[in-house]
Amino acid sequence: MIPCINWLQPFLALISSTLLTRGHICPSSCLCPDHHTVNCTNRGLTRVPDPIPLGVRRLLLSNNWIPWIPSDFLVLYSDLVYLDLRNNSLSQLEPGTLSTSSRLVFLDLGSNNLTEISSGTFGESRSLIKLRLGNNPYLNMVGRDAFTGLTSLRELELERNGLTALDVMVLESLPSLRMLRLDGNPWLCNCHFAKLFVWLTENRHKLPKGKT
């Protein structure tokens, strides 16, 4: 057993060294003002940069051309609390992609090309407080259970999308919701919208003034 352990030690040391090094290296196209912030804003990126420090807490990836997020992207970044992906080229999010982000508090996916928010997209990100999904002109479907498990969510932005209908159950599953934006969507006036209208009337205090 001892010779086996001695044989493994160099490899374990190499792995440990690699992880420690990765924990402090900043992606070449980005700025890292401190050990917990990676700023890759407006860098013309077409994919998520690598390597990203393992201890990152604020990851800024806005104003790029990133078309997709790897499904296992957040597995290693358990300390991440702030993720900004606005104004990219995201067209879809695989279910579960964001389910491992247990500490995530702020998520901005606005101004992309998202078409659907399906059930299970966010898993049970119970720490999430603010979610921005506005300005996705092709977003025309939000699954009934899309936000199930987001028990701490206080602010939800779905303005200026392509929504023609929204199941009231989507909103009723958010017990902590304090602010909602739905303005600028091409709603269809039918029985489904009538149910939504009743909910909005009863919860008008959650709608920003002038944005109803």
Side-chain angles (χ1 to χ4, degrees), residues 82-115:
Y82 188 105
L83 178 57
D84 186 354
L85 278 159
R86 60 190 160 86
N87 197 25
N88 273 283
S89 301
L90 298 174
S91 59
Q92 65 178 358
L93 294 172
E94 295 183 25
T97 298
L98 301 167
S99 63
T100 56
S101 52
S102 59
R103 295 187 182 181
L104 198 64
V105 171
F106 176 94
L107 176 60
D108 194 339
L109 294 168
S111 300
N112 276 282
N113 297 319
L114 296 175
T115 59

PDB file of all heavy atoms in Angstrom, residues 82-115:
ATOM      1  N   TYR A  82     -23.241  36.653  -8.106  1.00  0.00           N
ATOM      2  CA  TYR A  82     -23.661  37.680  -9.064  1.00  0.00           C
ATOM      3  C   TYR A  82     -23.205  37.264 -10.460  1.00  0.00           C
ATOM      4  O   TYR A  82     -22.009  37.118 -10.702  1.00  0.00           O
ATOM      5  CB  TYR A  82     -23.023  39.014  -8.671  1.00  0.00           C
ATOM      6  CG  TYR A  82     -23.494  40.226  -9.431  1.00  0.00           C
ATOM      7  CD1 TYR A  82     -24.363  41.148  -8.845  1.00  0.00           C
ATOM      8  CD2 TYR A  82     -23.063  40.489 -10.729  1.00  0.00           C
ATOM      9  CE1 TYR A  82     -24.780  42.290  -9.528  1.00  0.00           C
ATOM     10  CE2 TYR A  82     -23.482  41.612 -11.427  1.00  0.00           C
ATOM     11  CZ  TYR A  82     -24.336  42.514 -10.813  1.00  0.00           C
ATOM     12  OH  TYR A  82     -24.747  43.630 -11.487  1.00  0.00           O
ATOM     13  N   LEU A  83     -24.165  37.064 -11.363  1.00  0.00           N
ATOM     14  CA  LEU A  83     -23.843  36.635 -12.727  1.00  0.00           C
ATOM     15  C   LEU A  83     -24.575  37.522 -13.726  1.00  0.00           C
ATOM     16  O   LEU A  83     -25.808  37.567 -13.755  1.00  0.00           O
ATOM     17  CB  LEU A  83     -24.235  35.174 -12.935  1.00  0.00           C
ATOM     18  CG  LEU A  83     -24.016  34.579 -14.330  1.00  0.00           C
ATOM     19  CD1 LEU A  83     -22.560  34.703 -14.753  1.00  0.00           C
ATOM     20  CD2 LEU A  83     -24.464  33.117 -14.366  1.00  0.00           C
ATOM     21  N   ASP A  84     -23.809  38.230 -14.542  1.00  0.00           N
ATOM     22  CA  ASP A  84     -24.368  39.153 -15.529  1.00  0.00           C
ATOM     23  C   ASP A  84     -24.062  38.644 -16.936  1.00  0.00           C
ATOM     24  O   ASP A  84     -22.920  38.652 -17.378  1.00  0.00           O
ATOM     25  CB  ASP A  84     -23.775  40.546 -15.331  1.00  0.00           C
ATOM     26  CG  ASP A  84     -24.423  41.598 -16.234  1.00  0.00           C
ATOM     27  OD1 ASP A  84     -25.242  41.220 -17.087  1.00  0.00           O
ATOM     28  OD2 ASP A  84     -24.101  42.790 -16.076  1.00  0.00           O
ATOM     29  N   LEU A  85     -25.110  38.198 -17.642  1.00  0.00           N
ATOM     30  CA  LEU A  85     -24.981  37.678 -18.999  1.00  0.00           C
ATOM     31  C   LEU A  85     -25.840  38.467 -19.986  1.00  0.00           C
ATOM     32  O   LEU A  85     -26.163  37.982 -21.070  1.00  0.00           O
ATOM     33  CB  LEU A  85     -25.389  36.204 -19.043  1.00  0.00           C
ATOM     34  CG  LEU A  85     -24.315  35.195 -18.614  1.00  0.00           C
ATOM     35  CD1 LEU A  85     -24.956  33.880 -18.213  1.00  0.00           C
ATOM     36  CD2 LEU A  85     -23.291  34.977 -19.725  1.00  0.00           C
ATOM     37  N   ARG A  86     -26.198  39.686 -19.617  1.00  0.00           N
ATOM     38  CA  ARG A  86     -27.082  40.473 -20.493  1.00  0.00           C
ATOM     39  C   ARG A  86     -26.372  40.845 -21.793  1.00  0.00           C
ATOM     40  O   ARG A  86     -25.158  40.952 -21.870  1.00  0.00           O
ATOM     41  CB  ARG A  86     -27.568  41.734 -19.777  1.00  0.00           C
ATOM     42  CG  ARG A  86     -26.489  42.670 -19.346  1.00  0.00           C
ATOM     43  CD  ARG A  86     -27.039  43.769 -18.441  1.00  0.00           C
ATOM     44  NE  ARG A  86     -25.974  44.380 -17.672  1.00  0.00           N
ATOM     45  CZ  ARG A  86     -25.222  45.377 -18.103  1.00  0.00           C
ATOM     46  NH1 ARG A  86     -25.410  45.879 -19.316  1.00  0.00           N
ATOM     47  NH2 ARG A  86     -24.264  45.875 -17.339  1.00  0.00           N
ATOM     48  N   ASN A  87     -27.195  41.052 -22.810  1.00  0.00           N
ATOM     49  CA  ASN A  87     -26.728  41.483 -24.131  1.00  0.00           C
ATOM     50  C   ASN A  87     -25.683  40.540 -24.722  1.00  0.00           C
ATOM     51  O   ASN A  87     -24.582  40.945 -25.084  1.00  0.00           O
ATOM     52  CB  ASN A  87     -26.173  42.912 -24.060  1.00  0.00           C
ATOM     53  CG  ASN A  87     -26.076  43.555 -25.441  1.00  0.00           C
ATOM     54  OD1 ASN A  87     -26.798  43.181 -26.359  1.00  0.00           O
ATOM     55  ND2 ASN A  87     -25.184  44.513 -25.588  1.00  0.00           N
ATOM     56  N   ASN A  88     -26.071  39.268 -24.808  1.00  0.00           N
ATOM     57  CA  ASN A  88     -25.267  38.266 -25.500  1.00  0.00           C
ATOM     58  C   ASN A  88     -26.127  37.651 -26.608  1.00  0.00           C
ATOM     59  O   ASN A  88     -27.067  38.285 -27.082  1.00  0.00           O
ATOM     60  CB  ASN A  88     -24.763  37.210 -24.515  1.00  0.00           C
ATOM     61  CG  ASN A  88     -23.449  37.608 -23.860  1.00  0.00           C
ATOM     62  OD1 ASN A  88     -22.378  37.513 -24.457  1.00  0.00           O
ATOM     63  ND2 ASN A  88     -23.524  38.088 -22.613  1.00  0.00           N
ATOM     64  N   SER A  89     -25.815  36.427 -27.005  1.00  0.00           N
ATOM     65  CA  SER A  89     -26.563  35.765 -28.079  1.00  0.00           C
ATOM     66  C   SER A  89     -27.198  34.460 -27.602  1.00  0.00           C
ATOM     67  O   SER A  89     -27.422  33.550 -28.393  1.00  0.00           O
ATOM     68  CB  SER A  89     -25.628  35.473 -29.264  1.00  0.00           C
ATOM     69  OG  SER A  89     -25.049  36.662 -29.753  1.00  0.00           O
ATOM     70  N   LEU A  90     -27.510  34.379 -26.312  1.00  0.00           N
ATOM     71  CA  LEU A  90     -28.093  33.167 -25.758  1.00  0.00           C
ATOM     72  C   LEU A  90     -29.466  32.930 -26.350  1.00  0.00           C
ATOM     73  O   LEU A  90     -30.331  33.806 -26.329  1.00  0.00           O
ATOM     74  CB  LEU A  90     -28.215  33.284 -24.234  1.00  0.00           C
ATOM     75  CG  LEU A  90     -26.909  33.453 -23.443  1.00  0.00           C
ATOM     76  CD1 LEU A  90     -27.221  33.698 -21.984  1.00  0.00           C
ATOM     77  CD2 LEU A  90     -26.042  32.216 -23.606  1.00  0.00           C
ATOM     78  N   SER A  91     -29.690  31.730 -26.876  1.00  0.00           N
ATOM     79  CA  SER A  91     -30.990  31.394 -27.458  1.00  0.00           C
ATOM     80  C   SER A  91     -31.748  30.387 -26.608  1.00  0.00           C
ATOM     81  O   SER A  91     -32.974  30.269 -26.725  1.00  0.00           O
ATOM     82  CB  SER A  91     -30.824  30.855 -28.874  1.00  0.00           C
ATOM     83  OG  SER A  91     -30.006  29.696 -28.882  1.00  0.00           O
ATOM     84  N   GLN A  92     -31.037  29.647 -25.760  1.00  0.00           N
ATOM     85  CA  GLN A  92     -31.707  28.679 -24.906  1.00  0.00           C
ATOM     86  C   GLN A  92     -30.856  28.375 -23.682  1.00  0.00           C
ATOM     87  O   GLN A  92     -29.644  28.586 -23.682  1.00  0.00           O
ATOM     88  CB  GLN A  92     -32.006  27.383 -25.653  1.00  0.00           C
ATOM     89  CG  GLN A  92     -30.768  26.621 -26.083  1.00  0.00           C
ATOM     90  CD  GLN A  92     -31.102  25.310 -26.783  1.00  0.00           C
ATOM     91  OE1 GLN A  92     -32.271  24.946 -26.925  1.00  0.00           O
ATOM     92  NE2 GLN A  92     -30.088  24.577 -27.201  1.00  0.00           N
ATOM     93  N   LEU A  93     -31.527  27.888 -22.664  1.00  0.00           N
ATOM     94  CA  LEU A  93     -30.854  27.449 -21.439  1.00  0.00           C
ATOM     95  C   LEU A  93     -31.286  26.010 -21.184  1.00  0.00           C
ATOM     96  O   LEU A  93     -32.476  25.727 -21.078  1.00  0.00           O
ATOM     97  CB  LEU A  93     -31.253  28.329 -20.255  1.00  0.00           C
ATOM     98  CG  LEU A  93     -30.817  29.790 -20.300  1.00  0.00           C
ATOM     99  CD1 LEU A  93     -31.460  30.560 -19.160  1.00  0.00           C
ATOM    100  CD2 LEU A  93     -29.298  29.912 -20.226  1.00  0.00           C
ATOM    101  N   GLU A  94     -30.323  25.121 -21.108  1.00  0.00           N
ATOM    102  CA  GLU A  94     -30.659  23.728 -20.847  1.00  0.00           C
ATOM    103  C   GLU A  94     -31.180  23.588 -19.423  1.00  0.00           C
ATOM    104  O   GLU A  94     -30.642  24.197 -18.498  1.00  0.00           O
ATOM    105  CB  GLU A  94     -29.431  22.839 -21.047  1.00  0.00           C
ATOM    106  CG  GLU A  94     -28.923  22.786 -22.474  1.00  0.00           C
ATOM    107  CD  GLU A  94     -27.752  21.821 -22.612  1.00  0.00           C
ATOM    108  OE1 GLU A  94     -27.656  20.894 -21.785  1.00  0.00           O
ATOM    109  OE2 GLU A  94     -26.951  22.005 -23.540  1.00  0.00           O
ATOM    110  N   PRO A  95     -32.246  22.790 -19.218  1.00  0.00           N
ATOM    111  CA  PRO A  95     -32.759  22.576 -17.861  1.00  0.00           C
ATOM    112  C   PRO A  95     -31.656  22.098 -16.923  1.00  0.00           C
ATOM    113  O   PRO A  95     -30.893  21.197 -17.262  1.00  0.00           O
ATOM    114  CB  PRO A  95     -33.823  21.487 -18.066  1.00  0.00           C
ATOM    115  CG  PRO A  95     -34.277  21.683 -19.468  1.00  0.00           C
ATOM    116  CD  PRO A  95     -33.046  22.088 -20.231  1.00  0.00           C
ATOM    117  N   GLY A  96     -31.561  22.730 -15.778  1.00  0.00           N
ATOM    118  CA  GLY A  96     -30.555  22.336 -14.802  1.00  0.00           C
ATOM    119  C   GLY A  96     -29.256  23.095 -14.902  1.00  0.00           C
ATOM    120  O   GLY A  96     -28.396  22.967 -14.032  1.00  0.00           O
ATOM    121  N   THR A  97     -29.086  23.897 -15.961  1.00  0.00           N
ATOM    122  CA  THR A  97     -27.834  24.638 -16.135  1.00  0.00           C
ATOM    123  C   THR A  97     -27.538  25.513 -14.929  1.00  0.00           C
ATOM    124  O   THR A  97     -26.387  25.630 -14.495  1.00  0.00           O
ATOM    125  CB  THR A  97     -27.892  25.521 -17.395  1.00  0.00           C
ATOM    126  OG1 THR A  97     -28.062  24.699 -18.541  1.00  0.00           O
ATOM    127  CG2 THR A  97     -26.605  26.324 -17.551  1.00  0.00           C
ATOM    128  N   LEU A  98     -28.574  26.126 -14.388  1.00  0.00           N
ATOM    129  CA  LEU A  98     -28.389  27.044 -13.263  1.00  0.00           C
ATOM    130  C   LEU A  98     -28.825  26.438 -11.940  1.00  0.00           C
ATOM    131  O   LEU A  98     -28.863  27.124 -10.916  1.00  0.00           O
ATOM    132  CB  LEU A  98     -29.172  28.337 -13.525  1.00  0.00           C
ATOM    133  CG  LEU A  98     -28.763  29.072 -14.803  1.00  0.00           C
ATOM    134  CD1 LEU A  98     -29.782  30.138 -15.160  1.00  0.00           C
ATOM    135  CD2 LEU A  98     -27.383  29.695 -14.652  1.00  0.00           C
ATOM    136  N   SER A  99     -29.146  25.158 -11.927  1.00  0.00           N
ATOM    137  CA  SER A  99     -29.667  24.529 -10.708  1.00  0.00           C
ATOM    138  C   SER A  99     -28.601  24.310  -9.642  1.00  0.00           C
ATOM    139  O   SER A  99     -28.923  24.107  -8.477  1.00  0.00           O
ATOM    140  CB  SER A  99     -30.328  23.189 -11.050  1.00  0.00           C
ATOM    141  OG  SER A  99     -29.382  22.283 -11.584  1.00  0.00           O
ATOM    142  N   THR A 100     -27.324  24.352 -10.042  1.00  0.00           N
ATOM    143  CA  THR A 100     -26.253  24.129  -9.069  1.00  0.00           C
ATOM    144  C   THR A 100     -25.764  25.423  -8.436  1.00  0.00           C
ATOM    145  O   THR A 100     -24.872  25.402  -7.598  1.00  0.00           O
ATOM    146  CB  THR A 100     -25.056  23.431  -9.742  1.00  0.00           C
ATOM    147  OG1 THR A 100     -24.612  24.214 -10.861  1.00  0.00           O
ATOM    148  CG2 THR A 100     -25.455  22.047 -10.236  1.00  0.00           C
ATOM    149  N   SER A 101     -26.352  26.551  -8.854  1.00  0.00           N
ATOM    150  CA  SER A 101     -25.904  27.846  -8.328  1.00  0.00           C
ATOM    151  C   SER A 101     -26.644  28.175  -7.040  1.00  0.00           C
ATOM    152  O   SER A 101     -27.484  29.062  -6.997  1.00  0.00           O
ATOM    153  CB  SER A 101     -26.133  28.943  -9.382  1.00  0.00           C
ATOM    154  OG  SER A 101     -27.478  28.905  -9.824  1.00  0.00           O
ATOM    155  N   SER A 102     -26.327  27.441  -5.988  1.00  0.00           N
ATOM    156  CA  SER A 102     -27.094  27.537  -4.751  1.00  0.00           C
ATOM    157  C   SER A 102     -26.945  28.872  -4.039  1.00  0.00           C
ATOM    158  O   SER A 102     -27.814  29.258  -3.260  1.00  0.00           O
ATOM    159  CB  SER A 102     -26.683  26.405  -3.804  1.00  0.00           C
ATOM    160  OG  SER A 102     -25.294  26.479  -3.518  1.00  0.00           O
ATOM    161  N   ARG A 103     -25.863  29.612  -4.294  1.00  0.00           N
ATOM    162  CA  ARG A 103     -25.655  30.887  -3.620  1.00  0.00           C
ATOM    163  C   ARG A 103     -25.956  32.096  -4.503  1.00  0.00           C
ATOM    164  O   ARG A 103     -25.819  33.231  -4.060  1.00  0.00           O
ATOM    165  CB  ARG A 103     -24.201  30.982  -3.121  1.00  0.00           C
ATOM    166  CG  ARG A 103     -23.852  29.967  -2.048  1.00  0.00           C
ATOM    167  CD  ARG A 103     -22.476  30.232  -1.484  1.00  0.00           C
ATOM    168  NE  ARG A 103     -22.112  29.244  -0.481  1.00  0.00           N
ATOM    169  CZ  ARG A 103     -20.960  29.246   0.193  1.00  0.00           C
ATOM    170  NH1 ARG A 103     -20.074  30.196  -0.045  1.00  0.00           N
ATOM    171  NH2 ARG A 103     -20.710  28.312   1.094  1.00  0.00           N
ATOM    172  N   LEU A 104     -26.348  31.853  -5.728  1.00  0.00           N
ATOM    173  CA  LEU A 104     -26.592  32.944  -6.668  1.00  0.00           C
ATOM    174  C   LEU A 104     -27.723  33.843  -6.174  1.00  0.00           C
ATOM    175  O   LEU A 104     -28.819  33.373  -5.857  1.00  0.00           O
ATOM    176  CB  LEU A 104     -26.934  32.370  -8.039  1.00  0.00           C
ATOM    177  CG  LEU A 104     -26.809  33.317  -9.227  1.00  0.00           C
ATOM    178  CD1 LEU A 104     -25.360  33.750  -9.404  1.00  0.00           C
ATOM    179  CD2 LEU A 104     -27.317  32.652 -10.486  1.00  0.00           C
ATOM    180  N   VAL A 105     -27.441  35.144  -6.124  1.00  0.00           N
ATOM    181  CA  VAL A 105     -28.405  36.131  -5.635  1.00  0.00           C
ATOM    182  C   VAL A 105     -28.944  36.978  -6.783  1.00  0.00           C
ATOM    183  O   VAL A 105     -30.123  37.322  -6.819  1.00  0.00           O
ATOM    184  CB  VAL A 105     -27.766  37.045  -4.568  1.00  0.00           C
ATOM    185  CG1 VAL A 105     -28.687  38.209  -4.210  1.00  0.00           C
ATOM    186  CG2 VAL A 105     -27.417  36.237  -3.322  1.00  0.00           C
ATOM    187  N   PHE A 106     -28.077  37.314  -7.751  1.00  0.00           N
ATOM    188  CA  PHE A 106     -28.440  38.189  -8.868  1.00  0.00           C
ATOM    189  C   PHE A 106     -28.106  37.503 -10.184  1.00  0.00           C
ATOM    190  O   PHE A 106     -26.992  37.025 -10.375  1.00  0.00           O
ATOM    191  CB  PHE A 106     -27.675  39.508  -8.764  1.00  0.00           C
ATOM    192  CG  PHE A 106     -27.890  40.450  -9.915  1.00  0.00           C
ATOM    193  CD1 PHE A 106     -28.864  41.437  -9.847  1.00  0.00           C
ATOM    194  CD2 PHE A 106     -27.118  40.360 -11.070  1.00  0.00           C
ATOM    195  CE1 PHE A 106     -29.064  42.322 -10.913  1.00  0.00           C
ATOM    196  CE2 PHE A 106     -27.305  41.232 -12.136  1.00  0.00           C
ATOM    197  CZ  PHE A 106     -28.279  42.210 -12.051  1.00  0.00           C
ATOM    198  N   LEU A 107     -29.080  37.462 -11.101  1.00  0.00           N
ATOM    199  CA  LEU A 107     -28.867  36.856 -12.415  1.00  0.00           C
ATOM    200  C   LEU A 107     -29.517  37.724 -13.486  1.00  0.00           C
ATOM    201  O   LEU A 107     -30.714  37.996 -13.438  1.00  0.00           O
ATOM    202  CB  LEU A 107     -29.463  35.447 -12.460  1.00  0.00           C
ATOM    203  CG  LEU A 107     -29.402  34.714 -13.814  1.00  0.00           C
ATOM    204  CD1 LEU A 107     -27.960  34.554 -14.273  1.00  0.00           C
ATOM    205  CD2 LEU A 107     -30.092  33.357 -13.713  1.00  0.00           C
ATOM    206  N   ASP A 108     -28.710  38.165 -14.443  1.00  0.00           N
ATOM    207  CA  ASP A 108     -29.209  39.005 -15.536  1.00  0.00           C
ATOM    208  C   ASP A 108     -29.038  38.271 -16.864  1.00  0.00           C
ATOM    209  O   ASP A 108     -27.913  38.032 -17.313  1.00  0.00           O
ATOM    210  CB  ASP A 108     -28.450  40.339 -15.564  1.00  0.00           C
ATOM    211  CG  ASP A 108     -29.140  41.377 -16.442  1.00  0.00           C
ATOM    212  OD1 ASP A 108     -29.934  40.981 -17.304  1.00  0.00           O
ATOM    213  OD2 ASP A 108     -28.866  42.576 -16.268  1.00  0.00           O
ATOM    214  N   LEU A 109     -30.161  37.913 -17.476  1.00  0.00           N
ATOM    215  CA  LEU A 109     -30.177  37.250 -18.779  1.00  0.00           C
ATOM    216  C   LEU A 109     -30.921  38.109 -19.797  1.00  0.00           C
ATOM    217  O   LEU A 109     -31.373  37.626 -20.828  1.00  0.00           O
ATOM    218  CB  LEU A 109     -30.846  35.879 -18.661  1.00  0.00           C
ATOM    219  CG  LEU A 109     -30.115  34.835 -17.809  1.00  0.00           C
ATOM    220  CD1 LEU A 109     -31.018  33.643 -17.534  1.00  0.00           C
ATOM    221  CD2 LEU A 109     -28.833  34.380 -18.487  1.00  0.00           C
ATOM    222  N   GLY A 110     -31.029  39.391 -19.502  1.00  0.00           N
ATOM    223  CA  GLY A 110     -31.754  40.304 -20.370  1.00  0.00           C
ATOM    224  C   GLY A 110     -31.037  40.571 -21.677  1.00  0.00           C
ATOM    225  O   GLY A 110     -29.833  40.339 -21.816  1.00  0.00           O
ATOM    226  N   SER A 111     -31.799  41.033 -22.665  1.00  0.00           N
ATOM    227  CA  SER A 111     -31.248  41.424 -23.967  1.00  0.00           C
ATOM    228  C   SER A 111     -30.466  40.301 -24.631  1.00  0.00           C
ATOM    229  O   SER A 111     -29.329  40.479 -25.083  1.00  0.00           O
ATOM    230  CB  SER A 111     -30.366  42.672 -23.814  1.00  0.00           C
ATOM    231  OG  SER A 111     -31.107  43.756 -23.299  1.00  0.00           O
ATOM    232  N   ASN A 112     -31.084  39.125 -24.693  1.00  0.00           N
ATOM    233  CA  ASN A 112     -30.526  37.986 -25.410  1.00  0.00           C
ATOM    234  C   ASN A 112     -31.527  37.531 -26.474  1.00  0.00           C
ATOM    235  O   ASN A 112     -32.407  38.300 -26.861  1.00  0.00           O
ATOM    236  CB  ASN A 112     -30.198  36.857 -24.435  1.00  0.00           C
ATOM    237  CG  ASN A 112     -28.828  37.029 -23.787  1.00  0.00           C
ATOM    238  OD1 ASN A 112     -27.799  36.754 -24.383  1.00  0.00           O
ATOM    239  ND2 ASN A 112     -28.821  37.509 -22.532  1.00  0.00           N
ATOM    240  N   ASN A 113     -31.397  36.294 -26.932  1.00  0.00           N
ATOM    241  CA  ASN A 113     -32.301  35.750 -27.937  1.00  0.00           C
ATOM    242  C   ASN A 113     -33.058  34.537 -27.395  1.00  0.00           C
ATOM    243  O   ASN A 113     -33.411  33.631 -28.163  1.00  0.00           O
ATOM    244  CB  ASN A 113     -31.527  35.350 -29.198  1.00  0.00           C
ATOM    245  CG  ASN A 113     -30.856  36.531 -29.867  1.00  0.00           C
ATOM    246  OD1 ASN A 113     -31.445  37.615 -29.965  1.00  0.00           O
ATOM    247  ND2 ASN A 113     -29.622  36.354 -30.310  1.00  0.00           N
ATOM    248  N   LEU A 114     -33.303  34.526 -26.107  1.00  0.00           N
ATOM    249  CA  LEU A 114     -34.004  33.405 -25.489  1.00  0.00           C
ATOM    250  C   LEU A 114     -35.404  33.267 -26.078  1.00  0.00           C
ATOM    251  O   LEU A 114     -36.087  34.263 -26.335  1.00  0.00           O
ATOM    252  CB  LEU A 114     -34.095  33.606 -23.982  1.00  0.00           C
ATOM    253  CG  LEU A 114     -32.757  33.626 -23.212  1.00  0.00           C
ATOM    254  CD1 LEU A 114     -32.990  33.957 -21.749  1.00  0.00           C
ATOM    255  CD2 LEU A 114     -32.042  32.289 -23.358  1.00  0.00           C
ATOM    256  N   THR A 115     -35.839  32.025 -26.278  1.00  0.00           N
ATOM    257  CA  THR A 115     -37.167  31.769 -26.832  1.00  0.00           C
ATOM    258  C   THR A 115     -38.100  31.130 -25.805  1.00  0.00           C
ATOM    259  O   THR A 115     -39.322  31.243 -25.935  1.00  0.00           O
ATOM    260  CB  THR A 115     -37.075  30.835 -28.049  1.00  0.00           C
ATOM    261  OG1 THR A 115     -36.466  29.598 -27.653  1.00  0.00           O
ATOM    262  CG2 THR A 115     -36.237  31.477 -29.148  1.00  0.00           C
TER     263      THR A 115
END
